Structure formats: structure tokens, C-alpha cells
Amino acid sequence: MATVCTHPKILPTPAATVSSINIPKSSQSQLLFRSHLHNPKTPNFLVSPPNLHTTSNPHHLKPHILCSQTDNPKPTRRPDYIPNRISDPNYVRIFDTTLRDGEQSPGASLTSKEKLDIARQLAKLGVDIIEAGFPASSKDDAEAVKMIAKEVGNAVDKDGYVPVICGLSRCNKNDIQTAWDAVKYAKRPRIHTFIATSPIHLEYKLRKSKEQVIEIARNMVKFARELGCDDVEFSPEDAGRSEREFLYQILGEVIKAGATTLNIPDTVGYNVPEEYSQLIADIKSNTPGIDNVIISTHCQNDLGLSTANTLAGACAGARQLEVTINGIGERAGNASLEEVVLTLNCRGEQVLGGLYTGINTKHIYVTSKMVEEYTGLHVQPHKAIVGANAFAHESGIHQDGMLKHKGTYEIISPEDIGYERSNEAGIVLGKLSGRHALRNRLAELGYELENDQLATIFERFKAVAEQKKSITDADLGALVRDEVFQPEVVWKLHDLQVTCGTLGLSTATVKLIDADGREHVACSIGTGPVDSAYKAVDLIVKEPVTLVEYSMNAVTEGIDAIATTRVVIRLENSHTVTHAQTGESVQRTFSGIGAGMDIVVSSVKAYIGALNKMIGFKERSPPKFPAERNKVSA
Ligand code: KIV
């Protein structure tokens, strides 16, 4: 919105002096970079730090061409967790909000089981803090956060690592109490409370004065501490468009009230990197008591700057970075975990002051796929780090370079994110391959399957191998995700037959199996094969849903490609949640993904997946008597 972009209230403030910023000791080049950063004449945050190739930089001796982990060994032990302090000034905490901000993406509703699976995966990644949800938004969310707190929040590993489990709350007693009731089961529970501070939010959303907002924030942080929570995060929402003096004042007050982390959200993705780094630096220089807390970033992606802003914030002294897997989140999303972490891994030592995280990047690929599948939010092929093309080399010149030396066109190795590329085409298995080879390859790709899951995948693998010359890693991934990353099965597709063409109406016959193993058959006509098949499914399942979105992609090239289909559905007048920031009731939508060589089968699987997810929300258990559900049908 042009009017917002020309908002006049962002006032220039005195630049922080270099000495006021907590500069990691380890990097001379970073020191030079910072002084450059705070030179008012410097036009852009992303300029190269000067002097990188002088003798003060140990890397000048060996040109750095790859960021692979073997090239860049990291400290293995993360500092002990103390809410308001980190013993190593270079360590940066990763706060993952996929399950909260990420779930606010349209169509991204997750069931409790899916949230638990993702939380387990985030713990494998080693994120420091998991924001597991917004418990006051719905009973479902409160239950999911509680389950995650009990299970993931108590699974201490051999090094003593266990993630902090955090619940979001607005600044009111009911939200804070509900968040505490959910997170308190974790070994390290955290309450994250927020209230808006920008002039536009104060005037139009809150209709409160600055004094009133300070009073509420102070009292609510105090209330959270009095409940027994010793790890309280406070966010002045829309800090990116708030007045500096007001921020210093409210932040100083919540520190006195007991806040341990101060998160500085660029809620509408309005800031540019230099501006955001200045905001963090100014808060660091001017807020009373700031040295006793951790500063955090939370950068939305409305202008596509969330990763750059997050890193700029880290360079200015933030030691907690809020991110999501695949960058999903409200509107244009959030800073993506994989981009932020890989940048710190890749360039941290050289140009980012030696900053590092405790993330085990080998789990990134599978986590990304799991989040993609469960949320139904496709990752664009050219997405950095996790997109399908991120490690593909199409042009002859690039392929030639890659064959001569991978460093010519690849700065990180796919292996670093857990994607093992066995050869350039990724072709590994064919119809003569056995179960053992399949298990090994899947394990290399990061999928560790139970025996029964492997048996099902093996059956499907053989069926595809009968029809397709070679099976790529992408095909395997699609099959596994189609079977494993699925909601609890209520309805399952057994058989499908369609006739279509120019001679008459399309007709579909569908056989589904219910949770008790009973068969249900229906047939219907429709405007095309998918429409008639969906209508036949509707005749059996009898849920009054609206199809909100339908899309299809081919996973690999060629006529024998595996197709994945994504659908989003909505059940009318049902499943509302309270939106964290607007407080409005929002209707949930449910997505499903299906994969197969037959596009109609893939489409029907996706539809049934979305229906299963929706029914799982509604009933929390598989239907015993399908006939009973007929009562709610339209
Ligand atoms: O974008 C935002 O301001 C938020 C806060 C609740 C942290 O999500």
C-alpha cells in the first residue's frame, strides 16, 4: 500500500556508536564491517566488508570456495541454556515459529499429530526454541502445545539439549494463563506475550494511549512471571514502524517487570536491512537494563527482505532469530530457517563476525519436505536451499564446470542439508532393485521408516518401476511423502475408474474403505474426470465442503512423471480459530497432497487427504459409524 510505504513517522535517530554494539571478539573483519555499517554515508547494508583480503583475515590465504560443513567445522557444544544470557557472545539462538506464525499461512492448518511430528523434527534439527502455537486461539491449539510440551519438551538428549517450548499470548491474563497451562509441562517453558506499539496500531487497532500500553505490558509480563514462568519473551508488535523513544521506554519497563527476551518484530516487513540493524543497535544502546536480556529478530517478508533483515539484526547484536521452515508465515511469510542458518554456516566466520548456531543442517531437507507436505504449501522450485532446482545444473556451461569442480557453481553441497545426491541425475533405483536397496536409499535421503511403512513404499515403488525406466530421488520422495506424511487415515482410496472424453459426460466409480475396513462404492457424473471422481467421493463421505484450491505439478520430467496434486477445502461454518494479531475469528482451511503416475488417482488421494485432515479436526478420532456423519451433511 503506497500510503503505508510513505509513512512519515519513522524518525531518524542518532546512530549508535560502534563501541556500544556487542561485537564478537573473534573477527577483525567484522569490526571493520560494523564501522562501515554505521557510517551514515554507507548506502547499503549488504556492501562487502572492506579489508577482507588483508592479513587481518585468515581466509585470504585460501580462497573460500565452498561452504560445505567439512570445510567449515563448527563448535560442537551449544552453550547451556539460561533464559536471559548466553555465555558465548557468538552463539545465536534459533527460535522456530513454523507451528505458530507458519500455521497462520492461508491453508496451512495442521492437525495435532502433524504438529507433534514437526516439533519432533525441529528438535532433531536442534532449534533452541519451538514456538508451538497460540494456545488461546482454539482448544485444538492448546492441546497440541501441551502435547508438544510434554513429549518434545522433555526429551533431553545425551548432551543435555532439550528445546524450549514456547506459547504465544496477547497481553491479557486469559491468554497468558492459557499459554502457561499448555507450556508448563516442558522442562523449559516460555511464554511469549505481545502488544502493538506503532502509532497506526495504537490509534486504529488498540485505541489506547502509550501510557496505557506500557501499563498493560508491564503488568502482563509481571503476571507471567508470577505464574512461575521464568522465561518470558515480550514483543512490541510492529516495532519496525514504532517511535524509538516509546520503544526504549516500554522495553525498559518490561525488563524491570521480568522479561528475559525482547523480540523486535518488523511485523509488516517494512524495514530495509540497514534500517533494521540500526533499530536493533539503537535499542541496544538506549534501553535501560538491555544487557540483562536477549534481543531477538522477527522479520516478515512483505518486501522479500526477511532473511537480509534477520542477518542485519544479528550483526547489530540480536542473539535470537525467529524463523520458519520454508519461510512460511503470515502473508508473504517469514525469514526462512534454512536461509538464515545456511548463511551463518556459510559466511558466518568470514563476514558475519563468527556468529554460529546449534542447528544440525543435515535434517533440513526432510524437515522442509515434511512441512511442505503437512501444510500443503508448495516450495517454489527456485527457493534457496530447499527448492527442487537449488542443486540442479541445467546449462551446458554449468554442467561442464560442475564436472570439473563442484565449487565452480555450487557454494553449498546438497549433502549439507541431508540431501545425498548419488550422481548428477539423481537416478538410483530401477525395477530390479530390492527392498534393502530401497531402504538404504531412503535412509540416505533422510527418511527412516518403520517396517510396515517400508513394505507399503516398496509395493508402490515396484508398481511405479514397472511403468517407469528409472526412479529418481524426487520420485521416491513423492511416494514416501504420499504414504508417510499423511493425516490419520479415516477414508482410504481402494479403487477408482473413470471414463471421459468427447463422447459424453465423464463418469467415475469410486470405492473407499472406512476406518473399520468397510467398503463403500459410489458413482457420479461430472464435467471432467476429476470433477466426477470428487462428486463420487462426496456421495460416500457426505461432508459439505467447498473446494478452495486445486493444483497439480509433475515431480519429474517426461510422460511417465509422477504427478503431485494439492487441494485446499473448507467446511462451511466450522473450525474457526482466533487470529493472533487481529483477534478475528478465521475459518480454517485444510490441505491435502496426493502423488501418483495417474493424475486422477493423484487428485482423488489429495482430496481424501484433505477430508481426512478436516475430519480429524472435527472428530479427533476415526468415525465408527459413517452413517452417523450423514446427519451433518448438506
Ligand atoms: O509479526 C509479528 O509481529 C508477530 C509477533 C506476535 C511476534 O508475529
Side-chain angles (χ1 to χ4, degrees), residues 100-101 168 192 194 235 237-238 263 265 267 298 300 322 581:
R100 198 279 296 170
D101 203 320
L168 183 72
H192 174 193
F194 72 97
S235 293
E237 190 193 6
D238 205 12
N263 180 41
T267 301
H298 180 107
Q300 298 289 152
E322 301 201 352
Q581 280 132 313

Side-chain angles (χ1 to χ4, degrees), residues 556-574:
T556 43
E557 287 168 14
I559 192 70
D560 58 358
I562 288 188
T564 60
T565 311
R566 173 182 192 247
V567 301
V568 180
I569 60 171
R570 184 173 51 221
L571 181 66
E572 293 314 323
N573 305 318
S574 170

Side-chain angles (χ1 to χ4, degrees), residues 308-319:
N309 284 350
T310 301
L311 293 166
C315 286
R319 289 296 176 269

Side-chain angles (χ1 to χ4, degrees), residues 440-501:
N440 280 355
R441 186 65 199 140
L442 289 173
E444 280 170 0
L445 293 172
Y447 300 109
E448 283 155 23
L449 303 185
E450 308 288 337
N451 284 341
D452 56 334
Q453 290 171 326
L454 181 72
T456 315
I457 299 296
F458 187 63
E459 232 174 79
R460 291 199 59 188
F461 161 75
K462 282 289 184 192
V464 175
E466 282 302 321
Q467 299 173 57
K468 208 168 183 279
K469 285 199 300 286
S470 51
I471 301 194
T472 66
D473 292 343
D475 292 329
L476 282 182
L479 290 183
V480 173
R481 295 191 302 269
D482 191 48
E483 287 295 334
V484 182
F485 297 168
Q486 287 291 330
E488 271 171 69
V489 174
V490 180
W491 292 101
K492 195 170 164 58
L493 176 65
H494 192 276
D495 284 315
L496 167 70
Q497 175 150 349
V498 289
T499 51
C500 62

